[in-house]
Amino acid sequence: MPLTDNDRNFFIDNGFFVKRQIIDGEWIAQIQKETDQLHERMAEHTPQGVGISWEEYEDDRPKRIRQLMHGEVVSEGLNRLIESDEVLSCLEPIMGPNIALFHCKLLLKAANDGSIIPWHQDYAYWTRHNNEPKMMNCMMFIDDANAENGCIQFVPGSHKLGLLEHDRANTSFGVFLPGFFQKRETAVTLDMKAGDAVFFNSLVIHGSDANKSPHQRRAVTIAYDVTGNGYCRRVVRGEAQADKTY
C-alpha cells in the first residue's frame, strides 16, 4: 500500500495522512488475539524487555495499562508489522532509504477507564541538542476507534508552527501543551476501523480523549527515525549511519 501523490500532498499540508486497512483481516485478528486480556496478563507477569505505565486511579479499580513499551515482545504480529512493506512503503518516500526503529508502543484505553492523552508534539519528547524532527509515527488501530472510546485527534497544519513550549509533570505522558486537553476548534477527530493506520510527523499537535465507552480501544504506535539522527534501536530499512546526537 505505497504512498500516493494525494497522501503526500495531504501530509505536506496537514502533518498526517490515513491509510485504510493497511493489513488484512487475518493479520489484525492475530494481533487482537495476542493482545487480548493484556491488562490481566501483564499484572500477573511482565516479560523481560517490556515497560509498562499503569493508569493512575484514586480508588481500588483493577490495574489497567496506559502504555506498554516494546509491544513486539508480546505480539509476533506487531513484531512483523515493524519491518513490513505495508508500513515502510509509506514511510520511505518521506524519510528516505535509511530507517530505524525507535519504539513500538501499545496504547491501551481500557473500557470506561482509559484516560486522556493530552495535546502534545512528539518532538517535545524526542528533541536532543542536535537532532532534527525527522521522526515519523505509524499508529495502527487494533480495535475500532471513535469519539466515544478515545480515538486520536489532530490539529491539521500545526506542524508548520515548529516546536512549541510544553508543560511538564511527573506522570506518564507528562509532556504536554498548555491547556492539557482543552477543546481546540481546529482539531479533527479520526474515526478508525481495526487495521486502519495514521502516519504523522513529530511536530503535528495531537492527543486523545478518555474512553467513556464500555468498549476497549487498543492501538499501537510504531515510531521511526532516520538512521544517524539519534534514535536507532535497530535498522529496519537501508543502512546504519553514524549517530550524530550522542
Side-chain angles (χ1 to χ4, degrees):
M1 191 178 293
L3 190 77
T4 68
D5 288 342
N6 285 339
D7 294 332
R8 184 192 292 274
N9 292 335
F10 191 91
F11 173 73
I12 290 170
D13 290 339
N14 296 281
F16 66 93
F17 63 94
V18 172
K19 299 294 276 189
R20 302 290 181 183
Q21 297 303 289
I22 195 168
I23 59 176
D24 63 32
E26 182 177 350
W27 194 344
I28 192 63
Q30 176 190 352
I31 295 171
Q32 288 171 336
K33 182 177 180 179
E34 291 170 342
T35 57
D36 193 30
Q37 302 296 315
L38 206 55
H39 305 284
E40 294 80 6
R41 287 160 46 201
M42 294 299 104
E44 183 176 332
H45 170 69
T46 303
Q48 184 176 2
V50 170
I52 296 177
S53 297
W54 298 94
E55 294 283 7
E56 299 163 353
Y57 303 132
E58 296 181 355
D59 54 33
D60 59 354
R61 276 176 283 181
K63 295 182 72 173
R64 292 291 180 257
I65 297 167
R66 195 173 193 195
Q67 66 173 0
L68 184 151
M69 300 299 298
H70 311 312
E72 71 275 14
V73 175
V74 300
S75 168
E76 175 54 36
L78 292 180
N79 187 48
R80 181 158 58 106
L81 186 66
I82 289 169
E83 298 191 35
S84 67
D85 286 339
E86 285 84 351
V87 172
L88 295 179
S89 65
C90 292
L91 293 176
E92 194 169 12
I94 296 170
M95 300 183 72
N98 301 311
I99 301 173
L101 172 68
F102 175 30
H103 66 222
C104 175
K105 177 170 66 176
L106 280 163
L107 298 168
L108 304 178
K109 284 188 186 284
N112 301 304
D113 293 326
S115 58
I116 288 168
I117 296 178
W119 297 119
H120 66 282
Q121 298 167 296
D122 285 344
Y123 193 47
Y125 285 90
W126 299 345
T127 184
R128 296 293 185 267
H129 70 277
N130 68 341
N131 72 336
E132 299 175 44
K134 296 180 178 180
M135 296 81 79
M136 288 284 295
N137 259 324
C138 168
M139 185 175 188
M140 191 196 75
F141 286 80
I142 301 169
D143 301 302
D144 293 354
N146 53 43
E148 187 181 7
N149 70 356
C151 62
I152 194 166
Q153 300 181 42
F154 289 96
V155 180
S158 55
H159 62 299
K160 299 175 184 178
L161 301 174
L163 181 61
L164 304 175
E165 188 67 29
H166 284 61
D167 293 334
R168 296 177 184 270
N170 189 26
T171 62
S172 57
F173 302 108
V175 179
F176 48 87
L177 289 164
F180 195 71
F181 199 64
Q182 290 179 352
K183 183 176 180 180
R184 290 175 176 258
E185 296 297 335
T186 58
V188 296
T189 298
L190 297 186
D191 285 358
M192 307 289 277
K193 295 291 187 182
D196 290 348
V198 57
F199 294 81
F200 54 98
N201 66 24
S202 59
L203 286 172
V204 67
I205 295 171
H206 61 287
S208 59
D209 206 347
N211 187 347
K212 304 166 186 174
S213 81
H215 307 291
Q216 65 180 337
R217 194 234 69 181
R218 293 168 292 178
V220 61
T221 180
I222 308 173
Y224 297 89
D225 199 358
V226 174
T227 61
N229 194 43
Y231 293 108
C232 181
R233 285 186 53 224
R234 75 178 193 242
V235 176
V236 297
R237 181 64 58 93
E239 300 178 353
Q241 299 179 74
D243 192 337
K244 70 180 183 180
T245 302
Y246 301 104

